Every structure is written in C-alpha cells, then in structure tokens.
Short mmCIF file of all heavy atoms in Angstrom, two decimals:
data_model
loop_
_atom_site.label_atom_id
_atom_site.label_comp_id
_atom_site.label_asym_id
_atom_site.label_seq_id
_atom_site.Cartn_x
_atom_site.Cartn_y
_atom_site.Cartn_z
N GLU A 1 121.25 143.61 59.84
CA GLU A 1 121.99 142.78 58.89
C GLU A 1 123.48 142.84 59.19
O GLU A 1 124.04 143.94 59.36
CB GLU A 1 121.72 143.24 57.45
CG GLU A 1 122.40 142.42 56.38
CD GLU A 1 122.02 140.94 56.48
OE1 GLU A 1 120.84 140.62 56.31
OE2 GLU A 1 122.94 140.13 56.76
N THR A 2 124.13 141.68 59.22
CA THR A 2 125.56 141.62 59.54
C THR A 2 126.42 141.08 58.41
O THR A 2 127.65 141.02 58.55
CB THR A 2 125.79 140.74 60.79
OG1 THR A 2 125.27 139.43 60.55
CG2 THR A 2 125.12 141.34 62.01
N GLN A 3 125.80 140.68 57.31
CA GLN A 3 126.59 140.16 56.20
C GLN A 3 127.19 141.31 55.39
O GLN A 3 126.50 142.28 55.05
CB GLN A 3 125.73 139.29 55.28
CG GLN A 3 126.55 138.60 54.19
CD GLN A 3 125.71 137.65 53.36
OE1 GLN A 3 125.44 137.92 52.19
NE2 GLN A 3 125.29 136.54 53.95
N ARG A 4 128.49 141.21 55.11
CA ARG A 4 129.15 142.24 54.32
C ARG A 4 128.45 142.41 52.97
O ARG A 4 127.96 141.45 52.38
CB ARG A 4 130.62 141.88 54.07
CG ARG A 4 131.50 142.02 55.30
CD ARG A 4 132.96 141.72 54.95
NE ARG A 4 133.81 141.72 56.12
CZ ARG A 4 134.41 142.80 56.63
NH1 ARG A 4 134.22 143.96 56.05
NH2 ARG A 4 135.18 142.70 57.70
N GLY A 5 128.45 143.64 52.48
CA GLY A 5 127.81 143.90 51.21
C GLY A 5 126.84 145.07 51.31
O GLY A 5 126.85 145.84 52.27
N HIS A 6 125.98 145.19 50.32
CA HIS A 6 125.09 146.34 50.19
C HIS A 6 124.11 146.47 51.35
O HIS A 6 123.71 147.58 51.71
CB HIS A 6 124.31 146.21 48.87
CG HIS A 6 123.49 147.42 48.54
ND1 HIS A 6 124.04 148.60 48.12
CD2 HIS A 6 122.15 147.63 48.59
CE1 HIS A 6 123.09 149.48 47.91
NE2 HIS A 6 121.92 148.93 48.19
N GLN A 7 123.73 145.34 51.98
CA GLN A 7 122.72 145.38 53.03
C GLN A 7 123.31 145.54 54.44
O GLN A 7 122.55 145.66 55.40
CB GLN A 7 121.90 144.07 53.00
CG GLN A 7 121.21 143.80 51.68
CD GLN A 7 120.18 144.86 51.32
OE1 GLN A 7 119.48 145.37 52.18
NE2 GLN A 7 120.10 145.21 50.04
N LEU A 8 124.62 145.53 54.56
CA LEU A 8 125.26 145.59 55.87
C LEU A 8 124.75 146.77 56.70
O LEU A 8 124.77 147.91 56.25
CB LEU A 8 126.78 145.69 55.72
CG LEU A 8 127.58 145.78 57.02
CD1 LEU A 8 127.42 144.52 57.86
CD2 LEU A 8 129.06 146.03 56.73
N GLY A 9 124.31 146.48 57.93
CA GLY A 9 123.84 147.52 58.83
C GLY A 9 122.39 147.90 58.65
O GLY A 9 121.86 148.70 59.43
N ARG A 10 121.71 147.33 57.68
CA ARG A 10 120.31 147.66 57.45
C ARG A 10 119.44 147.18 58.60
O ARG A 10 119.65 146.10 59.15
CB ARG A 10 119.83 147.03 56.14
CG ARG A 10 118.39 147.40 55.76
CD ARG A 10 118.01 146.79 54.43
NE ARG A 10 118.78 147.39 53.33
CZ ARG A 10 118.43 148.51 52.71
NH1 ARG A 10 117.34 149.16 53.08
NH2 ARG A 10 119.17 148.98 51.72
N VAL A 11 118.46 147.99 58.97
CA VAL A 11 117.53 147.65 60.04
C VAL A 11 116.33 146.92 59.44
O VAL A 11 115.71 147.40 58.50
CB VAL A 11 117.05 148.90 60.80
CG1 VAL A 11 116.12 148.50 61.95
CG2 VAL A 11 118.24 149.69 61.33
N ILE A 12 116.02 145.77 60.01
CA ILE A 12 114.90 144.95 59.55
C ILE A 12 113.84 144.91 60.65
O ILE A 12 114.13 144.47 61.77
CB ILE A 12 115.37 143.51 59.22
CG1 ILE A 12 116.48 143.55 58.17
CG2 ILE A 12 114.20 142.63 58.77
CD1 ILE A 12 117.26 142.25 58.06
N PHE A 13 112.63 145.36 60.34
CA PHE A 13 111.56 145.36 61.32
C PHE A 13 110.57 144.22 61.11
O PHE A 13 109.75 143.94 61.98
CB PHE A 13 110.82 146.70 61.30
CG PHE A 13 111.66 147.85 61.80
CD1 PHE A 13 112.13 148.82 60.93
CD2 PHE A 13 111.99 147.96 63.14
CE1 PHE A 13 112.89 149.88 61.37
CE2 PHE A 13 112.76 149.02 63.61
CZ PHE A 13 113.22 149.97 62.72
N ASN A 14 110.65 143.59 59.96
CA ASN A 14 109.80 142.44 59.67
C ASN A 14 110.63 141.41 58.91
O ASN A 14 111.08 141.68 57.79
CB ASN A 14 108.58 142.83 58.84
CG ASN A 14 107.58 143.67 59.62
OD1 ASN A 14 106.88 143.15 60.49
ND2 ASN A 14 107.54 144.97 59.35
N GLY A 15 110.85 140.25 59.52
CA GLY A 15 111.62 139.22 58.85
C GLY A 15 112.99 139.03 59.46
O GLY A 15 113.27 139.48 60.58
N SER A 16 113.87 138.38 58.70
CA SER A 16 115.17 137.96 59.22
C SER A 16 116.32 138.49 58.37
O SER A 16 116.12 138.94 57.25
CB SER A 16 115.24 136.43 59.27
OG SER A 16 114.18 135.90 60.02
N ALA A 17 117.51 138.40 58.94
CA ALA A 17 118.72 138.75 58.21
C ALA A 17 119.03 137.67 57.18
O ALA A 17 118.43 136.59 57.19
CB ALA A 17 119.89 138.91 59.18
N ILE A 18 119.96 137.95 56.30
CA ILE A 18 120.39 136.98 55.29
C ILE A 18 120.92 135.74 56.01
O ILE A 18 121.74 135.87 56.93
CB ILE A 18 121.46 137.58 54.37
CG1 ILE A 18 120.90 138.80 53.61
CG2 ILE A 18 121.99 136.54 53.38
CD1 ILE A 18 121.96 139.61 52.88
N PRO A 19 120.49 134.53 55.63
CA PRO A 19 120.97 133.31 56.30
C PRO A 19 122.48 133.19 56.24
O PRO A 19 123.13 133.68 55.30
CB PRO A 19 120.30 132.19 55.50
CG PRO A 19 119.09 132.83 54.89
CD PRO A 19 119.50 134.24 54.58
N ASN A 20 123.05 132.55 57.25
CA ASN A 20 124.49 132.35 57.31
C ASN A 20 124.96 131.49 56.15
O ASN A 20 124.47 130.38 55.94
CB ASN A 20 124.86 131.68 58.64
CG ASN A 20 126.35 131.47 58.78
OD1 ASN A 20 127.15 132.26 58.29
ND2 ASN A 20 126.74 130.40 59.46
N THR A 21 125.92 131.98 55.38
CA THR A 21 126.43 131.24 54.22
C THR A 21 127.59 130.33 54.60
O THR A 21 127.94 129.42 53.86
CB THR A 21 126.92 132.21 53.13
OG1 THR A 21 128.02 132.99 53.65
CG2 THR A 21 125.81 133.15 52.69
N GLY A 22 128.21 130.60 55.77
CA GLY A 22 129.38 129.83 56.17
C GLY A 22 130.65 130.29 55.50
O GLY A 22 131.74 129.76 55.75
N ILE A 23 130.54 131.32 54.63
CA ILE A 23 131.71 131.86 53.93
C ILE A 23 131.94 133.29 54.41
O ILE A 23 131.06 134.14 54.29
CB ILE A 23 131.49 131.86 52.40
CG1 ILE A 23 131.24 130.43 51.92
CG2 ILE A 23 132.70 132.46 51.69
CD1 ILE A 23 130.88 130.34 50.44
N PRO A 24 133.09 133.59 54.99
CA PRO A 24 133.37 134.94 55.47
C PRO A 24 133.33 135.96 54.33
O PRO A 24 133.60 135.63 53.17
CB PRO A 24 134.79 134.83 56.04
CG PRO A 24 134.99 133.37 56.27
CD PRO A 24 134.22 132.67 55.21
N GLY A 25 132.98 137.19 54.67
CA GLY A 25 132.98 138.25 53.68
C GLY A 25 134.38 138.51 53.14
O GLY A 25 135.38 138.29 53.84
N ALA A 26 134.45 138.99 51.92
CA ALA A 26 135.74 139.21 51.27
C ALA A 26 136.47 140.42 51.86
O ALA A 26 135.89 141.47 52.09
CB ALA A 26 135.54 139.41 49.78
N VAL A 27 137.76 140.24 52.12
CA VAL A 27 138.66 141.32 52.52
C VAL A 27 139.81 141.29 51.53
O VAL A 27 140.54 140.30 51.45
CB VAL A 27 139.17 141.13 53.96
CG1 VAL A 27 140.24 142.17 54.27
CG2 VAL A 27 138.03 141.24 54.96
N ALA A 28 139.95 142.35 50.75
CA ALA A 28 140.97 142.40 49.69
C ALA A 28 140.83 141.20 48.74
O ALA A 28 141.83 140.65 48.29
CB ALA A 28 142.37 142.47 50.28
N GLY A 29 139.59 140.80 48.50
CA GLY A 29 139.33 139.71 47.58
C GLY A 29 139.46 138.32 48.17
O GLY A 29 139.22 137.32 47.49
#
C-alpha cells in the first residue's frame, strides 16, 4: 500500500492497493 494514512506500507497478499484517488496525501494539512 502506498497511499498515506493508516494502511501505508501494509503488505497485501490477496487483492489490490487502495485505488488512486488523484489527490496527493496531506502534508501539514
């Protein structure tokens, strides 16, 4: 998983990462 947030860095052995939202992760809000 590459999306910023609680799941960042999680290893997925079945299925896919969170779909691309097109919105960058928040940095300092």
Side-chain angles (χ1 to χ4, degrees):
E1 182 57 63
T2 58
Q3 186 175 110
R4 288 183 185 272
H6 187 73
Q7 302 298 322
L8 179 63
R10 184 177 293 275
V11 182
I12 302 164
F13 292 108
N14 291 286
S16 305
I18 298 169
N20 181 33
T21 63
I23 301 174
V27 173

